Amino acid sequence: CFFIARFESGKIAAATVAVGGTTKYVESCPRTAQAMVKAAPDEDTAISRVLQVFQNELIDLGLNEEDDLTRKEYRLLASRNCLLKFYLYANGEGGDESLERPVGGKGLQEFSINLESLPVTAPVTKVGARLQASGEAIYTHDVASVTDPRSTLHGALVFAQEPGKILASIDYSKARRMGMVEHVDARDLKHSKYIKDGDEKLFLEVGDAVPSVGFPVALVLFKNEEDATKIAAAVDVKYNSSGSSSREPQLPPVYNLVDAMKLKRIVAGVDEVASIHKGDVKCGLANSPLRLSGMTSTGGQKHLYFETQSAVCRVGEGGEVEMRSSTQNLSGTQTLVAKLLGIGNSKVVVKQKRAGGGYGGKISRSYQVSGSAAVAAMKTGRTVAVVNDRGMDLQLIGGREPQIIEYDIGFDEQGKIHAVNFLIHCESGSTLDGSLGDLAMSILWMDHVYSVDNFLCQGILYKTNVSTNTSCRSPGNMQSNFVYEDLVHRIANKIGKSVREVQELNFYQAGDVLPFEKDGTSLGDLGGEVNLQRCWRELWTKAKVEEKQRAVDEFNKANSLKKRGIANMPVKYGISGSGYKQQTRVLVYEDGTVRVGTSGAEIGQGLATKVVQCCSLRLGVDMAKIEVHESDTGNNTVNNGVTGGSATSEVCCQAALNACDVLLRRLKECAGYEGPGGSVSFEDAVSTAVDTGVSLSADGWSNPSCASEFQYFVWVATCAVVELDVLSGEVVVLSADIQYDCGEQLNADIDVGQIEGGFVMGLGYFLSEKVVFDKENGMLKSAGTWEYKPPGMLDVPAEFNVRLLRNVANNAKGNVLRSKAVGEPPMVSSASVWLAVRDAIVQAGGSMDLACPATIDERLLAVTKSK
């Protein structure tokens, strides 16, 4: 809003008022300006009349019309409050003070290193970091322009647009007139039509029901990338009216979880989904003196990785297929391409040097671009590149699953929790993909950090007609841990005790029994390695939490237009290497230099760097002499698992150590090499091995398993402080302190960076990233950064402190150099900021009922609600 006023004798003699942002165009408000001239700026009744005139004029301008992106109540209230701020300023009562967040900020990174393990544990710069910073690093998108620019065809996917209808025809006539070189669609799929176990097709066929907006029906090919998307838009896709498909019964489309629950669009019920239990929940609830029950909703989240889904494919001599894909799943991509083309896996080589982020969105959702590129390359005999633009990528790829969690929790006057019953309703989108596993993660992690004698958590999975959801960093447990922690805060509010008292009263202790899965499998044994209390204790002392709390209280007493909030959150995050299958190949050359290649995908998490560090430690070779070979299913990636779940780096490092051990045995036998510090140098031992014909190529394999669900637990404690403008809903994160149990970290710089990055990504989920679909057809409306708001520079905490526990080690069976994982646990701890925002809202007299994500409109409206 824009206000200009000229004062004469203490009164407004002339005024100009305009609004924008909340309206489609910038609009003037002459009636309001006229009313301001007639009203004394220091009379409450006069100001109230002006505010009413302003509101009526805003309504006439359309601010009370429905809008999926922002709530109409917010648009009216925010505009009205801007005028109120003007009057406060005019009367010398504030109103001109905006929230301050310095551009720079400050913080610390605290850790210890093990001198006997160097370069492991040290803050080593990530391999390739300088290439990335300079723009020299090659990504999948760059490959075509570098290797085969003239003959490469560029593909763009054609999307279905009308869910609930039947695909009737695809007309390429206009696209051909525009210069389309070729197209591929379902008719070109001679061997397999599916990319996911019969649940999801690569392309819809004529006669298929359209599952969602953005489901691919074809791929068009053109000579340049820029025009391929325009040609895809020119393809004329026609539909028949909704009804019964010849292949499957067709139901009216639904575009949100609430409607799916009402219509019972269940694809996996309670009996088909993992569950955990302990004790007698029904009896425990009945005997609890106090109870809270209800339901909480959590939103979705887009991955918004740096590099969109990309694939470049060419067919070489003898029909061998070379695929470069920005994927987290090289072996899976290899198998997919082989099935689609009807050839053996051995004729498909998938390569990747690095991917520009993934966060779970490239485990299986990369299959559309890689599959379509492969079919097109085989059909045309030319190199084909398929690279989604950002809007297309957001529409095609789902994200974190929205959930609605029902709860019934019993406790006593002291805050001791006696029984908990959770039922998680989860939205998979138009196909299952990985949502069943993500829902299982919600359930298996649901016990959080609290020991309860009677516990039950179950889940139900639903289909809707929106883009398929999939794993997103900390899948499932991000939502469930947040909801449980919110309930602990509500319990404290209900009984009038501090949140800290309730938290500590219910914390897990060493020896406590975890819930069990429905088949009787244990979730894991806490054993003696419960660093929760230490993390928590050190957070309160090192972050000076009590001092922060006093400062927040003093600020709130002195300010009415701004309020601060503070929250402290513990996290228990289970990690298991079970199910991972990773390989590392180590080659030693005659000059003593080394080359390593691993099956894990380098997606920015520093996996390759940690592998190099481990090889350097074990072989006794300087890191500068070790080069990283790209991941390659024709060389060092055979029948491997996906990269994800935080543990891939550890598993690849163990595979590297295993390969190095093979080489060390050979060098000892032939040259007496005892490792670093021995009488024989590594270079001399290598020279002897080469002269005597000893192989210096070795493969390491790691496929860990554990008897229980979790191998070990990561413990985290976080304190967040925020400041809220009660008239606008704007928020600044003043500080965040994270105390993290990383065992003996593999790389201090990378691991602290992962903690910081995960926390900030979580800020987006909890405060700004709202996924919005059109209510009429399920089209994604938040399909760009104008509508979808990931965190920016000024959203990072102004003071950001990360402290790794000192002098601790992961002693769990199967540990990798005593380290612990870092990719996902910090995401969960970012819920502390949401809790701090809610605290600030309550301090302003608002409600404890706050949406997730707590976007600016939700925050402002929550301030106006009574407690």
Side-chain angles (χ1 to χ4, degrees), residues 146-157:
V146 172
T147 60
D148 202 7
R150 292 187 177 181
S151 64
T152 297
L153 294 175
H154 296 269
L157 291 166

Side-chain angles (χ1 to χ4, degrees), residues 628-693:
V628 178
H629 186 77
E630 64 185 357
S631 298
D632 180 345
T633 62
N635 180 31
N636 53 39
T637 301
V638 181
N639 307 321
N640 301 112
V642 305
T643 296
S646 296
T648 309
S649 293
E650 292 175 85
V651 178
C652 288
C653 284
Q654 185 59 61
L657 293 170
N658 294 343
C660 290
D661 287 342
V662 172
L663 292 170
L664 287 173
R665 284 195 297 271
R666 294 174 186 169
L667 290 173
K668 182 177 181 180
E669 290 173 0
C670 75
Y673 183 61
E674 297 288 348
S679 59
V680 180
S681 71
F682 181 74
E683 289 76 10
D684 288 343
V686 168
S687 179
T688 300
V690 172
D691 290 343
T692 56

Side-chain angles (χ1 to χ4, degrees), residues 726-761:
V726 300
L727 292 180
S728 70
E730 294 172 285
V731 159
V732 167
V733 183
L734 297 177
S735 68
D737 287 83
I738 302 175
Q739 201 73 28
Y740 196 97
D741 171 23
C742 202
E744 285 189 11
Q745 75 280 348
L746 291 175
N747 183 313
D749 269 1
I750 288 175
D751 290 343
V752 169
Q754 283 287 296
I755 293 166
E756 293 171 338
F759 187 85
V760 172
M761 185 174 175

